[in-house]
Amino acid sequence: MKDLGGRTERGGGAAGSSGTAEPRLFIWSAPDERGETVLREELATWLRKTAPEKFGDTADATVRRFGGARTSHHTVRGAVVARDAERAVALLRSARSEARVRRGSGPRPVALLFPGHGSQRPRMGAGLYRRDPAFTAAMDEFFAGYEAAGGKPLTEEWLAEDPSVSIDSGELGQPLLYAVGLALARMVESWGPRPTALLGHSVGELAAATVSGVLGPDDGARLMAARSHTYAPVPAGGLLAVAAAVEELAPYTVGGVSVAVVNGPRQTVLGAPESQLAEVERRLREDGFLARRARIPQPFHTPHALVAAELFEPAFSEVRLTPPVVPLYSSATGARVSEEEATRPRFWARQMSDPVLFGPALDTLLADDEVLLVEAGPGRALTTLALRHPAVARGGSDAVALLPAREDATGSADREEALWAAARLWTEGHSLDWGAVNAMAKSGRPV
């Protein structure tokens, strides 16, 4: 099963298309592969004749004419995203950037992945703000709740190309990662699919907990505001990603250095205060290990962050914790979250100082079911990890991202990537609310 178009084909959507035109999604479906080939050529011909002057209108028309309710039962589906008719026709006729998937016994359920600290970037997801209604409503709700709970105003900092506070800081990056992850989940839900499993990485665990029903959105905003006041006592330092197994790094986890993250069999992250981290980085490089600093200025997920976790825990007395409604997998334990764990404040607070076991948690999730993993956050860090997993590599499950690794000045890269994700859900066999999917290309104003 191929990725929708591959990055080399669309490259953020800039190649072969206008820099200002809105990306639009075109879909089609047919009873069999032969019929799909004929229909795809018919669509290309139709676009050449009707789309150049009314490109956006024809995107809506294809839903009705080529892939709407009348043909939703067909077993072969396809989709392309393009910013002009010429590009759309080229993709249709190249057969490189559309997906064609047999539905078989039905679509794989959706599992949402929420990235954590290290994935942040300026204006992450901003291209969807005031364009996608569900995304916008969730962001505005978070900002209002965050400020009401004593958090600093975040909207202008989020939308700024160069925020006054570093986006890599916990004070700015972590609440925005939580908010953007939650808003992306609400956007996907507005399209129609409902997630059947949730997994977060670091602060992404709180976004997953909110989508699962453990936390209400207002309580989530209140907790993130409280969390923003806990970072100061954590020493300067950071995390170091190393291409090695946990066992290989045992000789280096001394003198304040500890394992902070386990993302996979040979994808381990060490954490420490700055002086110790610089020394262990030097030693690892001398010993031939590949090591790279994460964009995190403090050693979270190590004992050095325990002071922050202890400051954070009392905030949970002000919120209501309930058992998850949607199955929730924990990067703290590597297993599914139990009802007892979900309602225990210390379980959530200590995730600031406990190691992140994302790799083992993903193992558990993918062992339970074959799913379509959808990354609800900036970039493709978790998607990339997932695509390397044996359960995905052999085709049982698959993964797709909702946002690009980098944004463009107009914000259209965010919208284009989101539409490609919608295309992937469609070709998987999910029913989508096309009014909701296409809303981002029609409404609002850029920010």
Side-chain angles (χ1 to χ4, degrees), residues 61-95:
T62 60
V63 174
R64 299 187 297 271
R65 180 166 178 168
F66 294 97
R70 177 173 58 87
T71 59
S72 62
H73 63 283
H74 287 166
T75 58
V76 182
R77 294 181 171 193
V80 296
V81 177
R83 300 190 191 187
D84 58 39
E86 181 180 359
R87 179 64 171 164
V89 170
L91 291 175
L92 283 161
R93 288 182 168 163
S94 71

Side-chain angles (χ1 to χ4, degrees), residues 21-26 46-47 50-64 82-85 438 441-442:
E22 278 298 319
R24 302 305 298 261
L25 169 62
F26 297 85
W46 186 65
L47 284 172
T50 64
E53 297 176 358
K54 296 183 178 181
F55 182 65
D57 294 340
T58 57
D60 293 336
T62 60
V63 174
R64 299 187 297 271
R83 300 190 191 187
D84 58 39
N438 289 322
K442 301 176 183 178

Side-chain angles (χ1 to χ4, degrees), residues 68-276:
R70 177 173 58 87
T71 59
S72 62
H73 63 283
H74 287 166
T75 58
V76 182
R77 294 181 171 193
V80 296
V81 177
R83 300 190 191 187
D84 58 39
E86 181 180 359
R87 179 64 171 164
V89 170
L91 291 175
L92 283 161
R93 288 182 168 163
S94 71
R96 289 180 300 178
S97 289
E98 83 280 0
R100 291 182 292 152
V101 180
R102 287 189 178 277
R103 292 174 63 194
S105 60
R108 287 168 292 194
V110 170
L112 294 180
L113 303 178
F114 298 87
H117 203 168
S119 296
Q120 69 282 348
R121 60 171 171 79
R123 290 181 54 83
M124 49 185 168
L128 301 174
Y129 189 56
R130 298 179 187 162
R131 303 301 296 263
D132 183 87
F135 181 91
T136 301
M139 292 300 296
D140 285 343
E141 182 181 13
F142 172 80
F143 289 140
Y146 187 82
E147 291 183 33
K152 295 180 179 179
L154 293 179
T155 309
E156 290 187 8
E157 297 286 2
W158 174 48
L159 298 176
E161 294 284 353
D162 185 19
S164 64
V165 178
S166 171
I167 191 66
D168 296 337
S169 68
E171 292 86 343
L172 183 58
Q174 292 195 18
L176 288 179
L177 283 165
Y178 169 88
V180 170
L182 178 58
L184 288 170
R186 299 309 187 210
M187 180 182 73
V188 171
E189 290 173 342
S190 77
W191 295 347
R194 292 292 187 271
T196 62
L198 305 161
L199 170 59
H201 190 292
S202 185
V203 71
E205 292 210 73
L206 289 176
T210 306
V211 177
S212 75
V214 171
L215 294 168
D218 289 343
D219 287 338
R222 186 177 297 112
L223 286 172
M224 291 309 302
R227 184 178 168 118
S228 70
H229 299 297
T230 68
Y231 303 123
V234 181
L239 304 182
L240 183 68
V242 188
V246 171
E247 296 76 16
E248 294 178 89
L249 297 177
Y252 304 91
T253 54
V254 295
V257 180
S258 59
V259 172
V261 181
V262 180
N263 282 327
R266 292 186 57 79
Q267 299 168 83
T268 309
V269 180
L270 301 179
E274 183 56 43
S275 59
Q276 292 99 319

